[in-house]
């Protein structure tokens, strides 16, 4: 399946709004990580918002591949790149507004949260999305 830009956007927003929120809930409630805080939902929102822009770039780059496909290894690299951007924006340079000062934002909590959310979203996109929306594979990833 070659995902279209609209299919990428639909899949990203659906997975982050469902799987991403469910995985972020234990972090926000303080069951996992340094303590209860809404900053995890802010990070999730930034990943979703900036991801829409990244998907434009990914869709453009995908057209240069001979098979016009986006393999799992590229998804891994994209996840690492997106984390670096969010980390620099939230913690390092602080240009992304958060409900807590950037000095208080725990690096280990941020890395762990992003990693768990990314892994859950990746696994859901490779498994349950194909079961729930089997026809989306023939429509460029669009499920609406």
């Amino acid at each position: 399946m070659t995902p279209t830009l609209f299919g990428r956007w639909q899949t990203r927003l659906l997975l982050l709004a469902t799987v991403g929120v469910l995985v972020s809930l234990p972090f926000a409630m303080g069951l996992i990580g340094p303590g209860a805080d809404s900053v995890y939902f802010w990070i999730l929102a930034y990943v979703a918002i900036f991801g829409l822009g990244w998907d434009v770039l990914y869709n453009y780059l995908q057209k240069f591949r001979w098979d016009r496909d986006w393999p799992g290894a590229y998804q891994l690299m994209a996840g690492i790149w997106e984390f670096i951007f969010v980390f620099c924006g939230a913690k390092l340079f602080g240009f992304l507004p958060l409900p807590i000062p950037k000095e208080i934002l725990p690096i280990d909590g941020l890395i762990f949260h992003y990693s768990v959310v990314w892994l859950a979203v990746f696994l859901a996109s490779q498994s349950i999305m194909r079961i729930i929306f089997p026809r989306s594979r023939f429509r460029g990833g669009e499920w609406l």
Side-chain angles (χ1 to χ4, degrees):
M1 177 220 24
T2 302
T4 63
L5 180 60
F6 194 57
R8 283 181 178 279
W9 285 348
Q10 285 182 5
T11 303
R12 177 182 291 267
L13 293 177
L14 175 70
L15 287 172
L16 289 175
T18 55
V19 176
V21 167
L22 287 174
V23 171
S24 295
L25 274 174
F27 287 92
M29 293 188 307
L31 301 174
I32 302 174
D37 203 338
S38 66
V39 72
Y40 300 108
F41 290 118
W42 284 73
I43 297 296
L44 190 66
Y46 287 135
V47 169
I49 292 167
F50 291 117
L52 298 177
W54 289 122
D55 282 339
V56 173
L57 175 66
Y58 301 152
N59 197 51
Y60 174 74
L61 292 174
Q62 179 178 324
K63 294 182 188 319
F64 292 106
R65 292 188 40 85
W66 69 274
D67 60 353
R68 306 241 190 265
D69 195 10
W70 195 255
Y74 284 15
Q75 288 178 335
L76 174 63
M77 289 186 290
I80 293 169
W81 170 250
E82 290 177 19
F83 172 73
I84 290 170
F85 181 79
V86 169
F87 175 79
C88 288
K91 180 72 175 163
L92 198 58
F93 301 119
F95 62 82
L96 297 177
L98 293 173
I100 62 173
K102 70 177 186 170
E103 294 80 21
I104 299 175
L105 183 65
I107 294 173
D108 55 343
L110 179 65
I111 292 171
F112 185 58
H113 172 255
Y114 183 87
S115 300
V116 171
V117 168
W118 187 89
L119 182 63
V121 166
F122 177 76
L123 291 175
S125 73
Q126 299 299 315
S127 60
I128 196 143
M129 285 291 290
R130 295 178 184 197
I131 295 169
I132 295 175
F133 301 108
R135 303 233 186 310
S136 72
R137 297 184 70 207
F138 304 107
R139 290 184 266 160
E142 298 178 23
W143 48 272
L144 283 181

